[in-house]
Amino acid sequence: MSAPASIDADLLVHSAQVCTVPPSAAVDPEPSAIRPAGPQRGSQLGDLGIIADGAVAIRDGRIVALGTAGDLRARVSAAAEINAAGKVVTPGLVDPHTHLPWVGDRADEFEMRVAGASYMEIMAAGGGIMSTVRAVRDASTDELVEANLPRLDRLMAHGTTTLEMKTGYGLTTADELKQLEAIHRLDQTHPMDVAATFLGAHAVPAEYQGRTDAYVDLVVEEMLPAAAQWSQRKQRPLFCDVFCEAGVFDVDQSRRILVQARELGFQLKIHADEFEGLGGTALACELGAVSADHLVTTPEEDIAALGRCQTVAVSLPGTPFGLGHTGRAYTPARSIMAAGGALALATDLNPGTCWCESMQFVIALATRYLHLTPAQALAAATLNAACAIGRGDSAGTLAAGRPADLLILNIPDYRHLGYRFGTNLVETVIKAGQVVVGPG
Ligand code: NIG
Ligand code: FE
């Protein structure tokens, strides 16, 4: 009997509780079949694929072997080792919905909201999204990049290794393209992996007040073709998103924008049911959107639709928390799971409703207000979150051959995620095989 082949590695992380978060079904219908890179749907959510005393070997930025510490320490010859005994290893967290990049802040509006004004009242009075639009219009691409790099550092220090960013604070063709350019440069400058979304229909800008259809014309006839050309020139695929909400864009206007976007080659997303359930989630399913996001006031029939379509339901519990909403303020996550839907988590990071740079805090909220177990919340913040930005085959799962994006958490058991909040539990962040955040 010959000895098992030895594996060369740059780095071996060993002796941790390793959560691999495998794609798709907890029980393979055919054990021989290769698991498709799909989300964990419905009651399957929460399969962490734990290796109790596990190890991960990394070479050239990718995972080359995964297994028990005993097995890998015998077979792997590594240039460097990290002994993670008593700690937890997970995939890098994925944040599939942020409103980066922006400049400025809205601390004044936060104070008004605390004193009783509602988010939609402030928006109707010309504040809200429009205040950030004014700031972003005044900023250069360089200023946008500069202001947002430190945010990416903080996100990464809290465990996020892949995220989505949107436009939507420009609302003119030139200013939306400027935001896309900033997103592109942030992705090129920072180790974070970035998925980009065009959200020209984030708000009706002041100069189109009372003429929403005319603004939709501008989005459809000018902005979308310009963004599609930019996307081709940069070889960077784009999502198209719409804020489908009472007083913003209704279902018909959202449909017009998304149908045109799909024809131009965009994949689709939607902001639906944040305040009123208009039917945006059913629209997302009908159009084959990759995700439908927010989903607080989602009608029963739209929840049922999520169980029958591929659209990932992205919950953003930091937003109702950030708005101080109580009562039925959070995504009906258990109903979505009962219907067989695929549930993911994201921050919604933005200067208005939710300035939260920590997916760990989102997991803590999801355990309490969405009633997810820590295992369900972790799968929703990794694999399913990756699927919500079409990256289920490259992010959110630890497996041989995949990019080595992983975290070492200074906790003895994954259930401390969510249980503990307000302190950063991430000790080490490894992005594409490189230690980008280390202890101390
Ligand atoms: O997802 N609801 C629309 N957009 C953001 C808020 C953006 C802002 O207020 O600047 C959200 O909550
Ligand atoms: Fe949002």
Side-chain angles (χ1 to χ4, degrees):
M1 205 179 90
S2 61
S6 107
I7 300 167
D8 286 327
D10 303 323
L11 178 63
L12 180 68
V13 179
H14 65 81
S15 307
Q17 180 189 63
V18 176
C19 302
T20 61
V21 199
S24 198
V27 179
D28 285 312
E30 298 165 54
S32 60
I34 294 169
R35 286 175 174 222
Q40 295 179 2
R41 298 186 70 94
S43 60
Q44 297 171 345
L45 184 65
D47 174 12
L48 297 186
I50 292 176
I51 308 170
D53 183 16
V56 186
I58 297 164
R59 186 175 66 229
D60 296 334
R62 290 190 176 263
I63 296 172
V64 285
L66 262 175
T68 62
D71 180 31
L72 262 59
R73 291 186 81 187
R75 290 166 55 211
V76 173
S77 138
E81 292 195 8
I82 298 177
N83 182 342
K87 297 174 186 170
V88 170
V89 167
T90 69
L93 302 175
V94 178
D95 187 348
H97 183 139
T98 84
H99 289 260
L100 292 169
W102 78 82
V103 291
D105 68 66
R106 302 200 329 243
D108 53 343
E109 291 179 8
F110 172 62
E111 195 176 46
M112 285 160 71
R113 283 209 317 274
V114 172
S118 81
Y119 176 72
M120 290 311 259
E121 280 163 14
I122 293 171
M123 182 160 171
I129 293 171
M130 267 322 282
S131 347
T132 303
V133 168
R134 286 186 287 272
V136 167
R137 284 179 179 177
D138 283 345
S140 66
T141 311
D142 284 350
E143 286 165 339
L144 270 172
V145 171
E146 287 297 303
N148 288 279
L149 278 171
R151 293 176 189 146
L152 293 184
D153 288 343
R154 288 193 295 269
L155 282 148
M156 198 161 251
H158 287 86
T160 300
T161 51
T162 298
L163 60 64
E164 182 259 14
M165 294 188 194
K166 305 179 196 299
T167 69
Y169 292 127
L171 309 186
T172 67
T173 304
D175 290 307
E176 288 291 301
L177 289 175
K178 180 176 74 185
Q179 263 199 296
L180 282 177
E181 199 61 42
I183 291 171
H184 187 63
R185 274 179 39 196
L186 285 161
D187 190 17
Q188 289 183 321
T189 317
H190 199 277
M192 187 79 78
D193 270 321
V194 177
T197 299
F198 168 78
L199 177 59
H202 189 199
V204 181
E207 59 277 17
Y208 280 87
Q209 212 42 254
R211 296 188 297 131
T212 303
D213 279 320
Y215 184 68
V216 173
D217 290 343
L218 178 74
V219 172
V220 166
E221 289 161 16
E222 190 181 295
M223 287 189 190
L224 278 173
Q229 274 184 13
W230 181 91
S231 157
Q232 287 209 331
R233 208 164 55 240
K234 300 284 179 178
Q235 297 282 296
R236 171 180 275 285
L238 290 176
F239 291 97
C240 176
D241 192 350
V242 178
F243 187 18
C244 179
E245 187 59 55
V248 194
F249 300 99
D250 66 23
V251 171
D252 287 340
Q253 291 160 337
S254 302
R255 180 195 301 276
R256 238 191 105 197
I257 292 164
L258 293 175
V259 165
Q260 167 74 354
R262 192 173 60 176
E263 275 173 26
L264 289 169
F266 294 75
Q267 288 195 291
L268 308 182
K269 290 182 165 283
I270 192 165
H271 277 66
D273 315 328
E274 180 175 358
F275 300 103
E276 287 186 38
L278 301 182
T281 297
L283 177 67
C285 285
E286 178 199 321
L287 297 180
V290 174
S291 76
D293 302 28
H294 281 289
L295 279 51
V296 172
T297 53
T298 310
E300 282 300 324
E301 59 270 28
D302 292 26
I303 291 176
L306 284 169
R308 298 187 301 263
C309 74
Q310 299 302 311
T311 303
V312 177
V314 179
S315 179
L316 313 162
T319 302
F321 178 84
L323 291 168
H325 287 176
T326 52
R328 293 186 52 176
Y330 290 88
T331 303
R334 300 216 75 86
S335 303
I336 292 171
M337 286 164 61
L343 186 79
L345 293 169
T347 58
D348 198 22
L349 171 56
N350 74 78
T353 59
C354 184
W355 194 323
C356 171
E357 294 164 345
S358 171
M359 283 292 288
Q360 294 175 62
F361 184 61
V362 170
I363 288 171
L365 292 173
T367 54
R368 286 155 187 84
Y369 301 114
L370 274 57
H371 310 292
L372 300 188
T373 64
Q376 291 170 335
L378 179 56
T382 50
L383 169 69
N384 282 17
C387 293
I389 47 173
R391 298 202 178 194
D393 55 356
S394 61
T397 289
L398 300 181
R402 284 179 175 244
D405 293 357
L406 51 111
L407 311 178
I408 304 174
L409 295 139
N410 193 7
I411 51 178
D413 177 313
Y414 75 85
R415 291 172 302 181
H416 285 233
L417 258 178
Y419 166 43
R420 292 160 62 176
F421 54 93
T423 41
N424 187 2
L425 304 174
V426 170
E427 183 181 274
T428 302
V429 180
I430 298 172
K431 176 67 190 170
Q434 301 295 318
V435 175
V436 289
V437 176

